[in-house]
Amino acid sequence: MDIEKYEEDVPPTRWENIVEFIMFRFRWLFVVPFLLPLSFLFNTVFDIRNRLIHLVNSAPNAHVRKVNYIQEQLKEWNENGRKTKLVNARPGWLTMSFRFPLYKENATKIATDKLFDILELDVERMIIKVEPGVTMGQISRYLIPRGYTLPVLPELDDLTIGGLINGCGVESGSFRHGMFQHICEQFEVVMSSGELRTVGPDPEGNSLFYAIPWSQGTICFLTAATIKIIPCKKYVKLTYKKTSTLNEMCQSLTTDSDRFADNVDFVEALQFDKNKGCIMLGEFSDGPDTDDEVINPIGRWYKKWFYTHVEDLINKRQQSVEYIPLRDYYHRHSRSIFWELRDIVPFGNNIIFRYLMGWLCPPKIAFLKATTPNVLRKLYDRSHVLQDMLIPLENLEECVTLFDEEVEIYPLWLCPFYLKYQPGLMRLKNATSKMYVDVGAYGVTTKKGYHHARTTRVLEKYVISVNGFQMTYADIYMPKAEYAEMFDRTLYDWKRTTEGCLDAFPDIYDKICRNNRR
Ligand SMILES: Cc1cc2nc3c(=O)[nH]c(=O)nc-3n(C[C@H](O)[C@H](O)[C@H](O)COP(=O)(O)OP(=O)(O)OC[C@H]3O[C@@H](n4cnc5c(N)ncnc54)[C@H](O)[C@@H]3O)c2cc1C
Ligand SMILES: NC(=O)C1=CN([C@@H]2O[C@H](COP(=O)(O)OP(=O)(O)OC[C@H]3O[C@@H](n4cnc5c(N)ncnc54)[C@H](OP(=O)(O)O)[C@@H]3O)[C@@H](O)[C@H]2O)C=CC1
Ligand SMILES: CC(C)=CCC[C@@H](C)[C@H]1CC[C@H]2C3=C(CC[C@]12C)[C@@]1(C)CC[C@H](O)C[C@@H]1CC3
């Protein structure tokens, strides 16, 4: 029996329960009048700034200066005797996870957060070179009007290149192209010595190239990444297919996740309860061929939240087809922050609210994070689930059944991705590339018997047993030895030893474990 004690074991007093309830139900009183306008203002100003930078093309010159500054910081740290650990300066409230890093408190903060510009687009080599602070929203806004896109472009606007490479990234193009790390061609990095290096999959330097993904900035600082681009079209022709049993979902998703299929560019599924689900197959398209076909610009402010639209469609028909503007498709889960906004602004999907205030949505995730009151954090600590488990597709049925038994949060996000056999932390144990699926559970659970830490441990143990991986932005309770069972540390440890990282950076486990995050 698991007898470990956790913070969440102390039950809230009656008074705390009442305050939590009020804060949870009425948080919108702060979010709607304050955070929505602030988010809108911030996004507008940042967008104007980016357009100006592109116009004057100052980013490449500024990049050299910014990298020099990082090197100077590291030189000084070396001269001072390498006494502290190194971390990125990006403040905790800006990052895409629920937690704040405690490990940054006494560390030396290196200024990678000043690097947030697009450096170069080369359509002959079909690559884009970007700084690590560039976000998915910035990239899609820049590339799509020029006729290109990233093969894997994760949905939330504020995810950064640095986070998706040093953490990980997955999206509906992943069934064909793999994870975010698999579309990267080169990394420009600064080592703890201050040395600037460019590494790629070619034999010279490839071990460093393969060691960086998932390493959470514990080997070197990423200062730029060169990423593959592909041509795109104006629309995605999206076919929604209802599934009526879990078994049907698993069978169909397996058949549909065919990375060699000519007419499928995106695969994603939503499971709405134990039985009902929807598989969505997307294809790049120039638009409808006939007048009967529907264009649905789902990103517009007055449109229903995407996941509710999907559920409505499958409640009416077994199969439907729509044409969605490409950028609207990529950011389909942004407006409702997957399904998190329903708890924060409960009337956010109401038609009147959408028409009047929808254009201000969504609130910036970073602002929500920075302003989460402590009382609410306690409630979230006890009953908010935020987990992405990456498991072989063949285990999907038992995994969803386990999620249903343990957390019972719907919709569940199901995103198949191709996992290449490659060196690095995500190395496959049986040396064969195969189709995996991300099972994502986001939201507050009311499941009886749910215990934030113990339930997560149950899920973690299951994931290890099927050679799966847990996304490291989420709460991780497994001990270090289990982490080393889940992830292959061979290359990582070798690189850390030979590149002088041991005294320079925290160990990866010390960055991701629950104890070192608030
Ligand atoms: C591109 C690249 C370049 C590299 N270059 C170098 C280099 O130049 N120099 C260097 O030192 N390292 C290098 N490494 C790191 C290298 O992966 C590690 O040093 C690793 O320990 C080498 O082990 P291996 O390849 O023999 O076994 P692996 O391929 O790591 O072993 C596969 C699995 O078998 C197990 N295993 C291996 N041998 C045994 C055994 N005898 N008994 C039981 N289990 C076993 C391992 O634990 C592992 O789970 C490089 C790695 C990469 C990816
Ligand atoms: N669809 C998807 O795939 C989604 C993914 N996510 C997760 O969110 C995270 C990304 O969020 P984001 O806010 O962008 O990133 P974060 O700032 O959270 O960074 C994630 C990790 O990467 C490290 N890192 C970031 N930039 C650099 C750099 N330039 N050099 C070295 N290390 C770096 C950070 O180090 P340090 O701790 O020192 O700051 C941190 O450990 C990822 O972990 C991803 O898995 C979340 C939602 C959706
Ligand atoms: C698609 C994948 C792989 C992951 C999606 C994860 C997101 C749903 C979460 C990442 C950061 C989370 C935060 C919140 C909701 C869920 C995420 C966006 C909050 C906005 C929830 C409310 C809190 O007060 C603040 C949280 C900040 C982080």
Side-chain angles (χ1 to χ4, degrees):
M1 201 179 69
D2 198 346
I3 48 158
E4 222 169 324
K5 285 265 172 278
Y6 296 98
E7 237 175 76
E8 300 87 280
D9 287 337
V10 185
T13 61
R14 202 145 149 219
W15 175 238
E16 275 174 335
N17 263 332
I18 296 169
V19 178
E20 272 178 8
F21 178 81
I22 294 171
M23 289 297 233
F24 187 65
R25 285 276 156 253
F26 297 101
R27 192 175 178 193
W28 61 268
L29 281 170
F30 173 69
V31 172
V32 173
F34 299 106
L35 286 198
L36 285 186
L38 201 66
S39 305
F40 183 78
L41 194 72
F42 181 94
N43 289 339
T44 312
V45 171
F46 197 59
D47 189 34
I48 295 172
R49 180 246 170 229
N50 288 339
R51 281 169 203 268
L52 286 175
I53 296 286
H54 292 318
L55 212 65
V56 295
N57 193 27
S58 62
N61 288 336
H63 180 70
V64 177
R65 277 199 306 276
K66 289 187 267 187
V67 173
N68 280 344
Y69 176 59
I70 290 176
Q71 290 178 292
E72 272 165 31
Q73 278 191 294
L74 288 165
K75 195 170 157 224
E76 196 184 321
W77 172 81
N78 275 291
E79 282 166 2
N80 287 340
R82 297 169 72 102
K83 290 201 190 91
T84 48
K85 295 283 191 232
L86 300 170
V87 295
N88 291 276
R90 192 160 197 245
W93 63 272
L94 264 178
T95 65
M96 281 288 160
S97 89
F98 186 72
R99 301 290 166 199
F100 289 83
L102 292 173
Y103 55 80
K104 289 200 182 185
E105 274 168 16
N106 297 315
T108 299
K109 298 176 186 67
I110 303 298
T112 50
D113 60 331
K114 305 281 181 298
L115 297 153
F116 42 73
D117 285 310
I118 295 172
L119 297 173
E120 182 193 352
L121 172 67
D122 185 337
V123 296
E124 256 145 51
R125 286 169 58 211
M126 290 300 273
I127 51 116
I128 184 168
K129 187 172 175 188
V130 288
E131 292 185 329
V134 167
T135 63
M136 290 303 105
Q138 232 173 310
I139 291 213
S140 60
R141 203 168 288 120
Y142 176 81
L143 277 184
I144 293 173
R146 291 169 170 79
Y148 301 97
T149 184
L150 296 186
V152 176
L153 203 155
E155 310 75 11
L156 295 174
D157 293 40
D158 289 345
L159 289 163
T160 64
I161 294 284
L164 291 165
I165 291 172
N166 292 279
C168 70
V170 64
E171 179 266 334
S172 60
S174 291
F175 84 102
R176 170 164 301 155
H177 302 282
M179 299 197 79
F180 198 81
Q181 68 206 60
H182 300 125
I183 62 162
C184 295
E185 305 224 321
Q186 231 169 33
F187 299 139
E188 179 193 274
V189 296
V190 179
M191 310 304 292
S192 69
S193 60
E195 182 198 355
L196 181 66
R197 279 204 220 162
T198 302
V199 292
D202 45 301
E204 182 102 1
N206 67 355
S207 54
L208 185 56
F209 176 75
Y210 288 120
I212 290 170
W214 289 83
S215 67
Q216 311 284 144
T218 59
I219 294 183
C220 52
F221 292 104
L222 183 73
T223 52
T226 303
I227 303 172
K228 199 164 122 185
I229 55 169
I230 52 172
C232 68
K233 294 186 178 167
K234 221 172 147 190
Y235 296 95
V236 172
K237 178 182 179 185
L238 196 62
T239 305
Y240 304 81
K241 297 198 316 181
K242 178 178 180 174
T243 54
S244 305
T245 63
L246 181 55
N247 184 265
E248 186 190 350
M249 163 61 80
C250 299
Q251 301 283 338
S252 306
L253 195 61
T254 306
T255 318
D256 288 334
S257 303
D258 172 7
R259 55 192 301 265
F260 300 108
D262 281 340
N263 55 352
V264 185
D265 298 299
F266 305 98
V267 179
E268 171 193 43
L270 294 177
Q271 188 66 31
F272 289 99
D273 59 35
K274 182 86 195 283
N275 297 311
K276 188 175 71 177
C278 179
I279 298 178
M280 285 156 280
L281 304 178
E283 181 190 357
F284 286 121
S285 160
D286 290 319
D289 297 321
T290 65
D291 289 343
D292 311 340
E293 293 177 303
V294 185
I295 292 183
N296 187 359
I298 53 165
R300 300 242 175 112
W301 77 98
Y302 54 83
K303 287 283 176 178
K304 254 187 209 162
W305 287 347
F306 181 66
Y307 73 96
T308 61
H309 169 63
V310 177
E311 191 167 17
D312 287 353
L313 276 185
I314 58 166
N315 284 342
K316 285 188 212 135
R317 276 185 291 276
Q318 190 66 25
Q319 186 160 325
S320 336
V321 177
E322 284 181 338
Y323 289 79
I324 298 179
L326 182 60
R327 193 163 188 277
D328 291 20
Y329 172 77
Y330 276 128
H331 299 294
R332 63 200 174 281
H333 296 305
S334 285
R335 277 198 313 129
S336 52
I337 318 184
F338 283 81
W339 20 100
E340 293 278 355
L341 203 54
R342 66 183 172 190
D343 289 336
I344 301 167
V345 184
F347 47 84
N349 204 24
N350 175 286
I351 186 161
I352 301 170
F353 181 83
R354 276 189 273 128
Y355 270 91
L356 292 180
M357 309 280 287
W359 54 278
L360 286 172
C361 283
K364 236 179 137 49
I365 293 174
F367 293 170
L368 284 171
K369 184 172 175 181
T371 59
T372 310
N374 266 344
V375 229
L376 211 50
R377 289 197 75 82
K378 284 194 182 158
L379 178 139
Y380 273 84
D381 281 347
R382 279 200 314 279
S383 51
H384 187 252
V385 184
L386 193 50
Q387 286 293 342
D388 280 274
M389 297 301 191
L390 316 180
I391 51 134
L393 186 51
E394 68 219 24
N395 298 103
L396 182 59
E397 190 162 352
E398 61 187 30
C399 183
V400 173
T401 308
L402 181 69
F403 267 77
D404 185 74
E405 281 161 15
E406 297 290 335
V407 294
E408 210 180 357
I409 280 186
Y410 292 102
L412 275 182
W413 191 59
L414 308 178
C415 183
F417 67 97
Y418 179 65
L419 186 50
K420 281 184 204 165
Y421 176 63
Q422 264 184 0
L425 283 160
M426 227 193 171
R427 195 171 77 148
L428 283 162
K429 293 202 172 62
N430 53 11
T432 321
S433 306
K434 64 159 112 165
M435 198 57 77
Y436 267 60
V437 60
D438 178 343
V439 180
Y442 324 117
V444 173
T445 179
T446 48
K447 179 86 182 171
K448 231 171 162 236
Y450 176 84
H451 183 284
H452 193 66
R454 288 196 195 99
T455 306
T456 308
R457 291 290 294 123
V458 172
L459 299 177
E460 286 169 349
K461 281 182 185 149
Y462 168 75
V463 169
I464 291 180
S465 77
V466 294
N467 292 336
F469 307 91
Q470 181 177 14
M471 271 210 189
T472 42
Y473 80 88
D475 284 352
I476 288 179
Y477 288 92
M478 63 188 152
K480 197 168 179 175
E482 261 178 55
Y483 172 83
E485 235 181 286
M486 187 182 276
F487 292 93
D488 188 324
R489 291 187 56 131
T490 323
L491 177 62
Y492 173 79
D493 284 332
W494 175 64
K495 281 279 100 178
R496 276 184 43 96
T497 314
T498 52
E499 299 289 354
C501 306
L502 295 176
D503 64 336
F505 300 95
D507 183 84
I508 187 166
Y509 181 78
D510 296 329
K511 272 197 165 185
I512 51 123
C513 69
R514 177 70 182 85
N515 284 344
N516 287 340
R517 289 169 166 185
R518 177 167 64 84

